[in-house]
Amino acid sequence: MQLLYSGYYDFDHTTIPFQVDNNFYYVTKMDIPNVVLLLDTNKNPTIFYSYQDKTWFDNTTFTNQIRKKYKVNRIYCTSQLQEYLSSLPHAKIEIIGDIKPLKLRWPKGLSKDTRSLLNHYQIKRVIKSPSEISSIKKASQISSQAITRVISAARSFKNESEIVALFKQHVLSTDQIEKLAYLPICSTGVRNSILHYVSNNHSIASNSKDLVLLDIGCKYQNYCSDITRTFPRSGRFTPAQKKIYQIVLDVQKYAISRLCHDGDWLKISRDVCLRIYQSLLELGLVYPVDTHREKSQLVNLFMPHSLGHTIGLEVHDTNPSGGLKTLKKNMVVTVEPGIYFASHLLFTTPANKNLNYSEIKKYQKIGGVRIEDTVLITQKGCQVLSDIPKEIVEIENLIKA
């Protein structure tokens, strides 16, 4: 028998939208709080729901959705779940969701398995179905439109918070979009070196030549998008900014060109690392080293994160058993190389003999550049689902327009 719990939501006191358990949604496609679904060995459902006070809350909308999905005549109150479980014969219950809020006294005759079903769906979720791909495409499309609008207004922003607000205004006014996929990251200048900068509240001078790094995405039907663009607030890249930006763009396009069914993600990541090393060497930011390990260690100082990750119901979605190694058709991944000038990594004591500090200081004010797209793996290649200008001339023309 299986017990699936959508998740607890306090209608009286919670002020953020309900976040359904991802595996519950994967199985049921229902985004309804406080639902317990019991499935017997023949998949026959028994459903429990935490009915709210009719004077204050609407139960009917939720219960109608449940009846439409499962064709049940009766939906029990969650307060009856304890008695129901106690009446069951000896059995193993496979569980999805955090059931602690249900405050159950687990019957002695029932064994509880919280791993098997979770592991099963964690693996199944790696390969996306057509409907899942459609939702991720839609989320990416809506986010792309919003980010394009943000870039075009670059010269008007006086604070990082205004940039996030414009994105939200666009996506949240779109039908069926209620949630962002993750906390927005919007930084300027040296703060671009902070990978998960979420303060988003620094002022931006009207004559600023800083780069803006915007890492943001919305959800559509609970499926995520994840996109990053870096652009000049002034509308024009400085010569130094152009050099770093072009390196990141070139390696991102190279990585995307390598993606395909049965593609070796680890080898692609290693090759990207070597390309970044070579570019840093040509810029004079690092000194020559011999081994791949030494080159990787140097690159990790400038790009202290992986090339990308899977994406789906979670922005960092489930991986194949053993980790993301071999790409398969209908996986969806992000590709997000970057170069950052983080003082705590580069300016260490003792100094790193393989770093050219005098040259690095010339680029330090840039903070960092990241470019990220959401990408669907296909049989012979891939499809980039996000659609936003990213060539230097395209970005400058978009802002100038």
Side-chain angles (χ1 to χ4, degrees):
M1 178 172 279
Q2 298 176 354
L3 187 157
L4 292 81
Y5 183 41
S6 67
Y8 175 71
Y9 191 75
D10 184 340
F11 284 91
D12 283 313
H13 300 106
T14 307
T15 58
I16 59 174
F18 170 64
Q19 178 55 58
V20 66
D21 179 88
N22 289 315
N23 289 307
F24 180 93
Y25 185 82
Y26 180 80
V27 176
T28 68
K29 294 298 182 285
M30 293 194 304
D31 189 356
I32 302 174
N34 307 321
V35 175
V36 176
L37 171 64
L38 278 170
L39 297 173
D40 65 19
T41 53
N42 295 315
K43 302 298 182 184
N44 296 314
T46 304
I47 300 176
F48 299 81
Y49 173 69
S50 295
Y51 289 90
Q52 306 298 308
D53 187 329
K54 293 180 181 179
T55 304
W56 299 101
F57 299 105
D58 169 30
N59 294 305
T60 306
T61 299
F62 290 146
T63 54
N64 283 348
Q65 289 180 42
I66 295 169
R67 287 190 172 93
K68 183 178 180 181
K69 172 72 178 180
Y70 284 101
K71 308 295 188 297
V72 292
N73 294 320
R74 183 175 181 182
I75 300 172
Y76 297 90
C77 182
T78 306
S79 61
Q80 298 171 276
L81 177 60
Q82 179 72 61
E83 181 182 355
Y84 184 88
L85 289 174
S86 298
S87 71
L88 294 175
H90 293 276
K92 180 175 76 171
I93 308 291
E94 296 178 323
I95 297 171
I96 283 291
D98 178 8
I99 64 171
K100 288 192 292 291
L102 296 172
K103 298 179 180 178
L104 296 169
R105 299 182 306 278
W106 200 255
K108 292 181 179 179
L110 299 180
S111 63
K112 184 165 46 173
D113 180 354
T114 59
R115 296 303 308 171
S116 298
L117 204 55
L118 176 64
N119 292 339
H120 172 72
Y121 287 118
Q122 294 289 89
I123 293 171
K124 280 198 71 174
R125 282 170 48 192
V126 172
I127 306 298
K128 278 27 180 197
S129 68
S131 64
E132 290 181 293
I133 292 169
S134 177
S135 293
I136 298 171
K137 281 183 177 180
K138 185 71 171 178
S140 299
Q141 177 188 37
I142 294 168
S143 294
S144 295
Q145 292 168 352
I147 294 172
T148 301
R149 183 179 174 187
V150 165
I151 295 173
S152 69
R155 288 182 293 187
S156 69
F157 298 122
K158 298 179 178 64
N159 192 287
E160 293 163 351
S161 62
E162 295 176 6
I163 300 172
V164 175
L166 182 58
F167 178 91
K168 288 181 177 179
Q169 178 187 9
H170 181 89
V171 301
L172 298 179
S173 64
T174 304
D175 186 37
Q176 293 185 300
I177 299 293
E178 296 180 355
K179 304 172 187 174
L180 298 186
Y182 50 94
L183 283 175
I185 298 167
C186 181
S187 57
T188 52
V190 293
R191 289 175 291 278
N192 293 351
S193 66
I194 304 170
L195 299 184
H196 282 183
Y197 171 87
V198 294
S199 298
N200 305 333
N201 60 3
H202 277 82
S203 60
I204 305 172
S206 59
N207 62 348
S208 171
K209 293 185 178 180
D210 285 343
L211 291 178
V212 177
L213 190 155
L214 181 62
D215 185 337
I216 202 164
C218 71
K219 287 187 175 186
Y220 180 77
Q221 294 178 346
N222 282 300
Y223 284 87
C224 300
S225 57
D226 187 1
I227 305 169
T228 305
R229 286 295 183 269
T230 308
F231 55 93
R233 191 274 181 198
S234 67
R236 302 284 293 182
F237 288 90
T238 67
Q241 290 169 351
K242 280 185 178 180
K243 290 177 183 178
I244 302 302
Y245 186 93
Q246 194 64 52
I247 292 171
V248 176
L249 179 60
D250 287 345
V251 296
Q252 198 226 20
K253 291 195 291 187
Y254 168 75
I256 290 173
S257 74
R258 295 274 304 277
L259 303 184
C260 64
H261 177 69
D262 283 337
D264 188 333
W265 176 258
L266 298 181
K267 187 174 190 312
I268 294 168
S269 298
R270 287 193 297 269
D271 291 347
V272 164
C273 178
L274 291 176
R275 283 180 172 241
I276 292 176
Y277 164 77
Q278 188 60 38
S279 295
L280 295 173
L281 185 64
E282 291 170 3
L283 268 188
L285 301 182
V286 300
Y287 295 117
V289 292
D290 296 324
T291 68
H292 183 275
R293 181 182 179 185
E294 291 174 308
K295 293 174 183 178
S296 295
Q297 288 173 339
L298 278 179
V299 171
N300 286 341
L301 299 176
F302 293 89
M303 182 179 145
H305 60 75
S306 64
L307 178 60
H309 52 83
T310 59
I311 185 170
L313 285 169
E314 299 173 77
V315 68
H316 287 254
D317 209 30
T318 60
N319 279 323
S321 178
L324 182 57
K325 296 177 181 177
T326 303
L327 299 171
K328 294 295 180 182
K329 179 182 176 182
N330 292 340
M331 280 184 178
V332 183
V333 299
T334 69
V335 181
E336 53 171 326
I339 291 177
Y340 313 88
F341 297 88
S343 296
H344 71 284
L345 294 178
L346 297 172
F347 292 87
T348 57
T349 303
N352 189 321
K353 65 180 182 180
N354 294 318
L355 296 178
N356 186 344
Y357 288 102
S358 62
E359 288 299 310
I360 288 172
K361 287 177 181 177
K362 297 177 184 179
Y363 296 89
Q364 201 172 359
K365 288 184 179 179
I366 292 173
V369 171
R370 180 164 67 252
I371 305 171
E372 178 180 24
D373 286 297
T374 301
V375 185
L376 169 68
I377 305 302
T378 62
Q379 185 67 40
K380 295 184 178 180
C382 66
Q383 179 186 358
V384 179
L385 304 183
S386 36
D387 182 18
I388 309 164
K390 57 184 176 183
E391 299 290 341
I392 288 174
V393 66
E394 291 176 333
I395 292 172
E396 291 183 339
N397 287 340
L398 179 61
I399 297 172
K400 183 164 59 177

